[in-house]
Amino acid sequence: MHHHQAHRLFAPDLGPAPGGGDGASLPPDALAILPVRDTVLFPGAVLPIAVGRPSSVAAVQHAMRDGQQIGVLLQRDPQSPEPGTADLYRTGTVANVLRWLTAPDGTHQLVCQGVQRFRTLDWISGRPFLAAGIVRLDEPDQRTTEIEARVMHLRGQALEALRLLPQVPEGLVNTVQTLESGAALADLVAGYMDLAAAEKQEILETLELVPRLDRVSAALAGRLEVLRLNAEIGQRTRASLDARQREMLLREQMASIQKQLGEDDGKSVELKELTEAIEKAGMPAEVEAAARKELRRLERMPEASPEHGMIRGYLDWMTDLPWRLPEERPIDIAEARRILDEDHFGLGRIKQRIVEYLAVRKLAPQGKAPILCFAGPPGVGKTSLGQSIARAMGRPFVRVSLGGVHDEAEIRGHRRTYIGALPGNILQAIRKVHARDCVMMLDEIDKMGRGIQGDPSAAMLEVLDPEQNDSFRDNYLGVPFDLSRVVFIATANMLDTIPGPLRDRMEIIELTGYTEAEKLQIARRYLVRRQREANGLQPGQLEITDDALRAIIQDYTREAGVRGLEREIGRALRHAAVRIAEGSATTVRIGAEDLGGILGPRRFESEVALRTSVPGVVTGLAWTPVGGDILFIEATRTPGGGRLILTGQLGEVMRESAQAALSLVKSRAVEFGIDPALFERSDIHIHVPAGATPKDGPSAGVAMFTALVSLLTNRTVRQDTAMTGEISLRGLVLPVGGIREKAVAAARAGLTRVLMPARNRKDYEEIPEDARNRLEFVWLERAEEAVAQALG
């Protein structure tokens, strides 16, 4: 900056210098002196200096007006307000004035640049500012090896210090690297170092270069040590604030931020409750670890996040499930027997099996529970048996309906990642009764379907395997749950639709239809009472005779169970309820003769009466899912070319049975006195009435054979006789299933003789007393015997 320019810049507010001498110029080797409190200006450095004292202001203004330099000297005592000549050091720095700024509040600031060292010789008096005659101290540019080595060392130190310092001005590193002169480097480093003013003054006064370099280097070494230590401590404290403390600090900050935002409504309370619930739940170790992990995730998650609700729901499930094993309740076998007898009539074998089951549980409470499957027609009391077992064991009962379940996830649950995911039906039921040793009824296990979403019966394999179900994994929970103490009872109408592996895991107990005598007892003991209460009648208001009940059983219902019977009894009682409610009667007695007026005409007649004595008509016995039934097989012959026509919705097996029967008749034609040529000239038509009902199975072989022989020999079949059995082409009678139901059906239809395969003798024990007493059994070995016994 040109001095003239500065002179012009500041001329307006300078005015005449106060005091004597009238601002006359100083001699050429004299300088206006600016005393400073605690600043040492080194040659080459640019420094701002605050100027307050009037004498100092006058000194600067004088120098600027004359375009001269100014001398900067340090006070010995920074506290003294008006330093005299004795209070100043002798050595200082000659400086160029770069700028002079006056702030609006009247304070002045000077920016100056150090040029070279000087020493005062004598003071000039009579001026409004300090002035002195001086000698300028020149620095020759020395380059010895000694100096070079020291310069290199100092440069290295300075660069390390700059690396350790925060916020170093850009360009400074560059300057340090490029400065050649030892004197300039020493001054630069000394100026930037934070030393006391007195120390800096000493360095300023050291004129010899080698001692000056040594002095600066020693001072910098001390500073460097402090900087290194400082960096190391910072590192160490950062490391000791390890992850845990950091997490704590962050958590506290987060909590306070949430409080500030008003978002802390009860989250901590919720977490506390969940922690307590996990502790109380008594989970196995690995399950508890999984739950705690999720709890930690929940803590870190903001409530607004969609996953928050998901994890919350999961933890609710985990803490709600009964993980602990309840203590074994004592099982009282006699009491269990009493409960079973009270709830169910008949079913002797089944009750015996249940009592055995309870006895085993009593002796080996830790043992694996077998899985019972009650199979049988509707309305025979499968579900209510399950409830009785639960009552007899003193355990909670829960029913899971499997009818129509076609998605594996309904058994095994959905993965939690899906929206609206839930555990499967099994765990939902356990949570509902909150007991790990409940009696769980899997209703309609044969009605499970297969869908796109996998096969639920495959998922049931694990649930129902006593060897595996102690670690059942639900997809939703993702941890094993022990199902081994649950008493599983399955029910099914048909066993054919249950996959083999699933059937293999269950102990099948067949419940068959009831005989008429049993139905009468059930109606008397349970159904009338139940319907009377359902229809609001008092015990004394109504009487229904045994004859009436028997008539309802025989003429109005045709079923294996008792549901239809209960419905019809309900209809009869409602008829009575109307009369009592109207007030036209106080008590009502229903006898057999009243039923026509109440229930309408008889629905079923004893079908033997329907049968006319025509050759070629035979009474067969059939098994259906709802119990046994009788069916008629009719054969007739028309002129034709030897065809066999089959009608009446027959299945594949039954059609084949018919063809086998015809072949057998053809091969034995001569024995029975049938003209073999008859088969060439005629078509034979076999029909099984009730065409809307599909029929299948091999057990009508004997009946078809008998019908054909009856037709072709023109002899009628005895009216009181029915038959069942499969035939072979050798003429043997083969055993069939469903003997009990077929015998009951024959007795119910009013027949007195049944022809059965001799190889089914083993099933005789199962036939109810009632039916055995009413029927005569003929056991067949060969097909001819059937003809001899049946044709009059």
Side-chain angles (χ1 to χ4, degrees):
M1 185 182 243
H2 298 297
H3 301 304
H4 305 297
Q5 195 182 349
H7 173 79
R8 275 204 308 283
L9 252 176
F10 295 105
D13 58 338
L14 287 177
D22 203 335
S25 296
L26 289 167
D29 58 351
L31 275 183
I33 299 295
L34 173 65
V36 287
R37 281 209 171 86
D38 46 13
T39 312
V40 175
L41 178 68
F42 280 91
V46 174
L47 260 191
I49 299 170
V51 181
R53 293 180 263 221
S55 60
S56 300
V57 175
V60 176
Q61 289 176 343
H62 172 82
M64 284 172 68
R65 190 171 42 231
D66 282 7
Q68 282 183 340
Q69 294 171 315
I70 195 162
V72 179
L73 277 182
L74 182 68
Q75 299 177 195
R76 289 178 193 278
D77 174 12
Q79 303 305 320
S80 75
E82 280 291 342
T85 51
D87 293 335
L88 300 174
Y89 284 100
R90 302 285 304 278
T91 309
T93 311
V94 177
N96 286 332
V97 177
L98 297 184
R99 298 190 69 178
W100 173 250
L101 305 168
T102 307
D105 61 357
T107 55
H108 303 284
Q109 187 124 30
L110 164 75
V111 181
C112 58
Q113 179 178 27
V115 179
Q116 71 181 121
R117 290 170 168 76
F118 75 89
R119 188 178 295 121
T120 57
L121 295 174
D122 52 346
W123 296 95
I124 298 170
S125 56
R127 306 269 160 166
F129 51 85
L130 289 172
I134 60 154
V135 56
R136 295 172 187 248
L137 307 169
D138 284 322
E139 307 218 18
D141 191 17
Q142 300 160 294
R143 295 257 167 130
T144 64
T145 48
E146 235 183 312
I147 291 173
E148 285 295 297
R150 283 175 168 74
V151 169
M152 260 178 74
H153 175 63
L154 182 59
R155 184 178 287 128
Q157 280 179 303
L159 290 172
E160 187 185 349
L162 291 176
R163 207 181 64 242
L164 290 173
L165 279 169
Q167 297 163 334
V168 173
E170 282 177 40
L172 190 55
V173 178
N174 209 8
T175 312
V176 171
Q177 278 171 335
T178 51
L179 261 184
E180 292 290 319
S181 145
L185 184 64
D187 285 349
L188 176 72
V189 173
Y192 272 105
M193 231 187 310
D194 59 335
L195 296 172
E199 282 180 75
K200 284 193 177 181
Q201 182 66 29
E202 268 179 44
I203 293 170
L204 188 71
E205 286 175 5
T206 310
L207 301 179
E208 285 293 308
L209 193 49
V210 173
R212 193 193 312 168
L213 282 167
D214 287 346
R215 266 218 149 110
V216 174
S217 203
L220 186 53
R223 279 273 153 280
L224 257 178
E225 206 48 51
V226 172
L227 281 172
R228 284 194 203 115
L229 260 173
N230 190 15
E232 210 175 299
I233 289 167
Q235 215 100 32
R236 229 175 322 174
T237 37
R238 208 166 307 126
S240 71
L241 262 181
D242 63 355
R244 186 141 189 198
Q245 284 158 301
R246 235 173 109 232
E247 192 180 347
M248 256 174 56
L249 281 169
L250 289 170
R251 256 197 226 306
E252 278 171 22
Q253 282 173 313
M254 202 163 92
S256 64
I257 289 169
Q258 282 181 327
K259 265 209 187 75
Q260 299 283 315
L261 290 171
E263 283 175 10
D264 180 42
D265 35 49
K267 180 165 178 186
S268 43
V269 179
E270 173 188 53
L271 290 171
K272 200 165 141 217
E273 281 170 10
L274 280 170
T275 313
E276 280 169 21
I278 290 174
E279 277 159 21
K280 280 199 204 112
M283 308 174 177
E286 64 166 315
V287 177
E288 185 159 338
R292 287 192 185 283
K293 184 173 159 204
E294 292 299 322
L295 184 65
R296 286 198 296 277
R297 277 184 65 198
L298 190 72
E299 279 177 45
R300 291 197 294 269
M301 200 164 283
E303 287 195 26
S305 113
E307 259 193 71
H308 183 279
M310 202 174 84
I311 296 177
R312 178 70 226 246
Y314 175 77
L315 287 172
D316 282 345
W317 265 100
M318 292 287 272
T319 51
D320 238 17
L321 281 169
W323 296 96
R324 276 205 186 83
L325 247 195
E327 63 283 357
E328 284 295 325
R329 300 181 185 79
I331 294 174
D332 181 343
I333 303 288
E335 172 69 1
R337 265 210 188 92
R338 189 189 67 70
I339 289 174
L340 289 170
D341 283 337
E342 185 185 306
D343 290 355
H344 295 272
F345 177 79
L347 306 178
R349 256 182 52 246
I350 286 110
K351 288 180 184 169
Q352 186 50 40
R353 177 66 190 91
I354 292 168
V355 168
E356 285 166 15
Y357 172 73
L358 296 176
V360 171
R361 291 305 290 164
K362 180 171 182 160
L363 298 177
Q366 304 305 321
K368 296 184 161 66
I371 282 134
L372 306 179
C373 174
F374 296 145
V380 294
K382 298 186 293 292
T383 309
S384 56
L385 260 176
Q387 289 167 319
S388 295
I389 293 175
R391 238 181 68 172
M393 292 180 84
R395 295 185 179 193
F397 173 82
V398 63
R399 183 176 152 275
V400 175
S401 175
L402 297 175
V405 167
H406 58 78
D407 179 351
E408 194 181 346
E410 294 197 43
I411 308 297
R412 233 184 220 305
H414 294 86
R415 299 270 301 283
R416 281 192 291 155
T417 47
Y418 297 115
I419 292 191
L422 279 174
N425 290 341
I426 306 290
L427 283 183
Q428 289 192 35
I430 285 178
R431 180 187 186 183
K432 195 163 86 187
V433 290
H434 217 278
R436 224 178 80 192
D437 60 348
C438 56
V439 174
M440 187 180 293
M441 173 144 274
L442 303 169
D443 236 351
E444 316 272 0
I445 199 164
D446 55 330
K447 309 281 191 310
M448 272 195 300
R450 294 189 63 158
I452 272 171
Q453 269 79 359
D455 185 352
S457 59
M460 289 303 290
L461 292 177
E462 189 187 357
V463 177
L464 295 183
D465 189 340
E467 299 298 320
Q468 295 175 26
N469 67 10
D470 54 353
S471 59
F472 171 69
R473 283 187 93 88
D474 188 278
N475 288 331
Y476 181 82
L477 291 192
V479 290
F481 188 85
D482 184 355
L483 295 175
S484 61
R485 310 305 284 279
V486 176
V487 179
F488 285 106
I489 298 168
T491 74
N493 294 137
M494 321 242 324
L495 292 172
D496 320 6
T497 54
I498 302 176
L502 194 54
R503 205 180 334 174
D504 184 51
R505 283 169 163 72
M506 307 188 288
E507 182 177 333
I508 309 271
I509 297 181
E510 298 220 18
L511 278 81
T512 44
Y514 296 112
T515 63
E516 283 178 17
E518 286 175 326
K519 284 184 181 177
L520 182 65
Q521 291 293 333
I522 291 168
R524 276 224 317 254
R525 295 179 183 204
Y526 308 103
L527 306 182
V528 175
R529 187 183 70 221
R530 206 153 69 195
Q531 283 301 316
R532 194 181 61 219
E533 285 165 10
N535 292 306
L537 292 163
Q538 298 304 319
Q541 293 180 316
L542 172 115
E543 189 197 338
I544 183 164
T545 64
D546 283 0
D547 287 345
L549 292 174
R550 213 174 271 118
I552 295 178
I553 292 165
Q554 284 171 0
D555 301 339
Y556 291 91
T557 61
R558 175 64 53 88
E559 57 175 353
V562 291
R563 277 209 188 108
L565 174 60
E566 182 168 4
R567 255 195 308 274
E568 296 304 323
I569 292 173
R571 280 179 65 192
L573 297 199
R574 281 195 294 280
H575 175 83
V578 170
R579 292 178 52 194
I580 290 171
E582 280 177 344
S584 58
T586 49
T587 58
V588 178
R589 179 176 181 282
I590 299 176
E593 61 284 355
D594 306 325
L595 291 177
I598 298 173
L599 300 179
R602 296 162 65 165
R603 254 173 259 156
F604 299 98
E605 297 182 39
S606 184
E607 275 162 16
V608 183
L610 290 174
R611 231 178 35 248
T612 47
S613 304
V614 180
V617 180
V618 172
T619 311
L621 294 172
W623 180 91
T624 70
V626 295
D629 210 347
I630 61 172
L631 50 83
F632 300 109
I633 290 161
E634 305 172 345
T636 174
R637 179 169 70 87
T638 53
R643 288 188 311 150
L644 173 64
I645 302 158
L646 301 170
T647 53
Q649 270 229 57
L650 307 183
E652 210 47 52
V653 179
M654 211 157 176
R655 288 168 170 279
E656 288 173 3
S657 263
Q659 290 185 314
L662 181 59
S663 299
L664 184 58
V665 173
K666 282 182 182 175
S667 66
R668 304 280 171 92
V670 182
E671 274 177 50
F672 293 124
I674 302 166
D675 176 8
L678 203 63
F679 297 108
E680 317 287 292
R681 314 192 288 275
S682 1
D683 288 345
I684 289 178
H685 181 164
I686 297 180
H687 177 65
V688 184
T693 320
K695 309 164 199 72
D696 201 5
S699 60
V702 170
M704 286 177 170
F705 174 74
T706 309
L708 290 170
V709 173
S710 156
L711 169 74
L712 297 169
T713 59
N714 210 17
R715 292 151 67 198
T716 55
V717 175
R718 287 176 56 166
Q719 280 207 9
D720 60 355
T721 304
M723 59 193 74
T724 184
E726 189 180 350
I727 54 161
S728 76
L729 287 180
R730 291 172 295 163
L732 297 176
V733 177
L734 305 176
V736 291
I739 292 297
R740 181 187 194 275
E741 288 88 342
K742 287 172 179 173
V744 169
R748 193 168 59 212
L751 298 157
T752 56
R753 285 172 85 232
V754 284
L755 312 186
M756 294 201 169
R759 285 162 68 185
N760 276 115
R761 264 213 178 95
K762 61 182 189 304
D763 300 317
Y764 180 70
E765 289 304 313
E766 291 192 9
I767 298 169
E769 195 86 19
D770 180 47
R772 272 193 271 182
N773 296 342
R774 284 160 65 176
L775 296 171
E776 175 195 339
F777 290 87
V778 180
W779 304 101
L780 309 173
E781 294 278 356
R782 308 188 58 79
E784 302 82 273
E785 296 169 26
V787 173
Q789 292 285 347
L791 302 183

